Amino acid sequence: MKKITYLICLASLMIQACQSVTNQTNPFLKEFDTPHGVPPFHLIQNSHYLPAFKEGIRQQQQEIKAITDNTEAPTFANTVEALEKSGQLLNKVAAVFFNLQAAHTNDSMQAIAEEVAPLLSEHTDGINLNEKLFERIKTVYENKDKENLSTEQLLVLEKYYKDFVRGGANLSEKEKERLKQINGELSILALKFGNNLLKETNNYQLVIENEQDLSGLPEGVISTAAETAKEAGMEGKWVFTLHNPSIMPFLQYADNRALREEIYKAYTTRGNHNNEYDNKVIISQLVALRLEKAQLLGFPDYASYVLEQNMAKNPANVYELCNKIWEAALPVAKKEAQKLQSMITRTGGKFKLQPWDWRYYAEKVKQAEYGLDENELRQYFPLDKVREGAFYTANKLYGITFSQRTDLPLPHPDAIAYEVKGADGKHIGIFYADYFPRPSKGQGAWMDAFRSESGLLGMTPVITNVCNFTKPTGETPSLLTFEEAQTLFHEFGHALHGLLSQVDYPSVAGTNVVHDFVELPSQIMENWAADPEVLKVYARHYKTGEPIPQHLIDKLQKSSHFNQGFATTEFMAAALLDMAYHTVSTTDPIDVEKFEKQTLDKLGLIPEITVRYRSTYFSHIFDGGYSAGYYAYTWAEVLDADAFEAFKETGDVFNPEKAEGFHRILAKGGSEEAMKLYTAFRGKEPSIEPLLKRRGLK
Ligand SMILES: [Zn+2]
């Protein structure tokens, strides 16, 4: 995952300067006096944040005012470049605060976050309403051919201009008023959708009183269910919920078919009970308002409005990709269904495969066909070796080196700091690795920047990876699952994107790229993690140091195709449902159940598979940031499979020429158009064939 970093903008809000803070005591209010200017974590106290935020906002407001008060004619330098230079203090404190709020938080930081949020949103809103500023940017944009601007400068300019226009800056007063209304209603509807879904998810519990009904479930799953029951005041029973970590293993392992059916139906009807938490009318309203907004801004439908900014560019391109993958995956899913049906028959079942049977019988087939023992596998993935494997890969590809620095302040005592140097021995940046879970850390794994690279501002990158990997216990070091090893490589890929950035303007540095391109640098690293040649280098037994045996590599490779027909079909059905909602061209009310059914029937989705998210709980597209964007996960996968294929075609997964080409993608960040950047590396547009091959769909 790539954290969406807080983008600093501008404001009209007047905030009192905070006289109570003196520059002597607040480390944010002076240069960081540390090696390479990393944040002085040891000196930062919670009481420093709020005054630094306020002072940062005040400074940026002054900087913006200086831009809009400038009596000289607007130019790229005195407007856009001046904007890029503004807000440095605010960026500095926001980067540290939001990083630590995610990786090492406490009640006091949460309280600060709540206090800061409205200040920042007012500050940010200010930018979109600052008409004087927009007028200047518009003038620069309209005269862009008269200035001799570089590709990067043109892209930065376009980014600023489009953000304003997409926010409605070019509309008439009346239209602006309507857009504001629509935005307000959209945010309330999305909020309601999310609240309803949360209520519906939490309102259901599967309470098990009879131990026999736990048959088939692994120990860990049972003890978690007992814990959940205890928390709910039902000690001695077992409770399963509709949250994924609870329901998914139940569907995968529980022998009791009737209970699987019960919990499955509860899961797939959330938000669809015609009660006060029903989401159907909300969806209809959301879809209509989004369409109206898109049309107001000059687009035929909402998907066109969203996709204009992405690498995919328009709905036709998304449909082309989705349909091709759909056609390849559906026949495979049908074959898988047959296989599961024969497993049912073989094990004495006399019923037809249903959606609540799929995960359960898939698990049985998997054990029968591959028999991968996760505990045996783990012994070859001690954390230190996996991290060395990631460093080894980066070194072989880009010549860079990582050496531990013990003299740098750390964001947390568990973190390790590395200095990254180029092949020429020159300093590139600092990389923090913070791998173990703790109560103060959020779930999941991510990359973020304490400082982004910028040639203009003379800044080198300070990047962090934060994960939640299995901790060492007693004598045993941290042993990762293969999935965790891939996650380490994935986040490290994002880190390389930040570290190898070589641009001038901070707003296009590193991971500041379009939505459907940002996962390419991370996902491609997973290919090296799983490559047999690389595995033999880094996957070594934690006791003997022996490299991973060939038969385990074979099993890993074979099982990677397992159940991919199902996974792909379930996913693509959701991506296509998303597109269907966001390409409607009338604001007439939608009968959600009928719309969903018609869309999926037209695709030919088989009844044994349910779309990954049914409409009434499709949070990504109705209250997340993924409307007309769910396809992006697959888009990035097409890119990473195709890009890795470029290496494989040469017979050398570290081919120097290809590595140099990919290095350029990483260095350029968002300073060149994504498709141009990609085709320059690949020599052609990406093809979906490598992805289909990798998933065993052809
Ligand atoms: Zn990611």
Side-chain angles (χ1 to χ4, degrees), residues 579-623:
M579 288 303 291
Y581 276 117
H582 295 111
T583 47
V584 294
S585 51
T586 147
T587 53
D588 294 345
I590 287 177
D591 178 336
V592 165
E593 273 180 306
K594 215 167 116 192
F595 185 90
E596 179 183 297
K597 189 173 183 314
Q598 277 173 352
T599 305
L600 300 174
D601 283 353
K602 215 165 85 190
L603 287 172
L605 180 64
I606 54 175
E608 295 88 344
I609 298 177
T610 309
V611 57
R612 189 174 169 94
Y613 299 98
R614 296 194 61 196
S615 308
T616 52
Y617 54 91
F618 202 164
S619 186
H620 286 82
I621 68 165
F622 292 123
D623 76 319

Side-chain angles (χ1 to χ4, degrees), residues 336-624:
E336 288 169 359
Q338 284 168 6
K339 217 177 218 182
L340 301 191
Q341 187 66 57
S342 36
M343 178 59 98
I344 292 175
T345 315
R346 244 194 350 262
T347 50
K350 291 192 174 54
F351 51 84
K352 197 175 166 310
L353 175 72
Q354 295 294 337
W356 49 88
D357 298 319
W358 194 293
R359 286 181 167 79
Y360 179 77
Y361 285 97
E363 183 61 29
K364 293 234 174 307
V365 170
K366 188 178 173 187
Q367 282 312 322
E369 287 191 2
Y370 306 106
L372 247 185
D373 180 351
E374 195 153 280
N375 284 322
E376 186 190 0
L377 204 54
R378 262 175 193 271
Q379 306 188 10
Y380 292 94
F381 293 96
L383 174 67
D384 287 355
K385 290 276 176 254
V386 178
R387 189 186 46 223
E388 279 170 31
F391 289 173
Y392 165 84
T393 303
N395 178 260
K396 286 272 277 187
L397 288 170
Y398 313 122
I400 57 177
T401 59
F402 292 75
S403 47
Q404 192 177 344
R405 289 277 300 249
T406 51
D407 57 331
L408 297 188
L410 298 171
H412 184 277
D414 279 357
I416 304 175
Y418 296 91
E419 181 175 4
V420 189
K421 286 183 180 161
D424 54 5
K426 278 196 192 132
H427 176 87
I428 287 182
I430 298 294
F431 172 62
Y432 291 110
D434 179 6
Y435 287 138
F436 299 126
R438 54 179 170 259
S440 66
K441 194 191 267 189
Q443 299 286 304
W446 62 88
M447 163 273 189
D448 211 337
F450 283 106
R451 187 174 67 212
S452 288
E453 183 271 340
S454 163
L456 180 73
L457 304 175
M459 297 191 313
T460 54
V462 179
I463 304 295
T464 179
N465 272 173
V466 184
C467 305
N468 282 281
F469 293 142
T470 311
K471 263 191 146 169
T473 46
E475 298 289 283
T476 319
S478 167
L479 299 176
L480 306 188
T481 63
F482 179 60
E483 239 177 66
E484 285 180 318
Q486 281 189 307
T487 302
L488 188 147
F489 272 72
H490 177 110
E491 298 309 333
F492 183 67
H494 284 307
L496 289 176
H497 205 183
L499 287 163
L500 296 177
S501 174
Q502 274 182 343
V503 301
D504 282 328
Y505 297 92
S507 69
V508 291
T511 53
N512 286 325
V513 296
V514 293
H515 176 68
D516 50 4
F517 195 64
V518 71
E519 295 296 329
L520 166 64
S522 51
Q523 283 179 189
I524 195 172
M525 286 300 289
E526 295 180 33
N527 292 282
W528 280 287
D531 185 82
E533 190 190 316
V534 186
L535 275 168
K536 280 187 186 138
V537 174
Y538 82 87
R540 288 175 175 269
H541 196 278
Y542 78 103
K543 275 186 188 157
T544 64
E546 286 290 312
I548 185 168
Q550 189 60 41
H551 77 271
L552 280 181
I553 294 181
D554 291 344
K555 274 186 188 175
L556 262 180
Q557 292 211 304
K558 268 194 209 145
S559 65
S560 70
H561 289 174
F562 178 73
N563 210 31
Q564 286 297 310
F566 170 82
T568 310
T569 303
E570 180 199 51
F571 184 94
M572 293 317 301
L576 286 158
L577 183 60
D578 169 27
M579 288 303 291
Y581 276 117
H582 295 111
T583 47
V584 294
S585 51
T586 147
T587 53
D588 294 345
I590 287 177
D591 178 336
V592 165
E593 273 180 306
K594 215 167 116 192
F595 185 90
E596 179 183 297
K597 189 173 183 314
Q598 277 173 352
T599 305
L600 300 174
D601 283 353
K602 215 165 85 190
L603 287 172
L605 180 64
I606 54 175
E608 295 88 344
I609 298 177
T610 309
V611 57
R612 189 174 169 94
Y613 299 98
R614 296 194 61 196
S615 308
T616 52
Y617 54 91
F618 202 164
S619 186
H620 286 82
I621 68 165
F622 292 123
D623 76 319

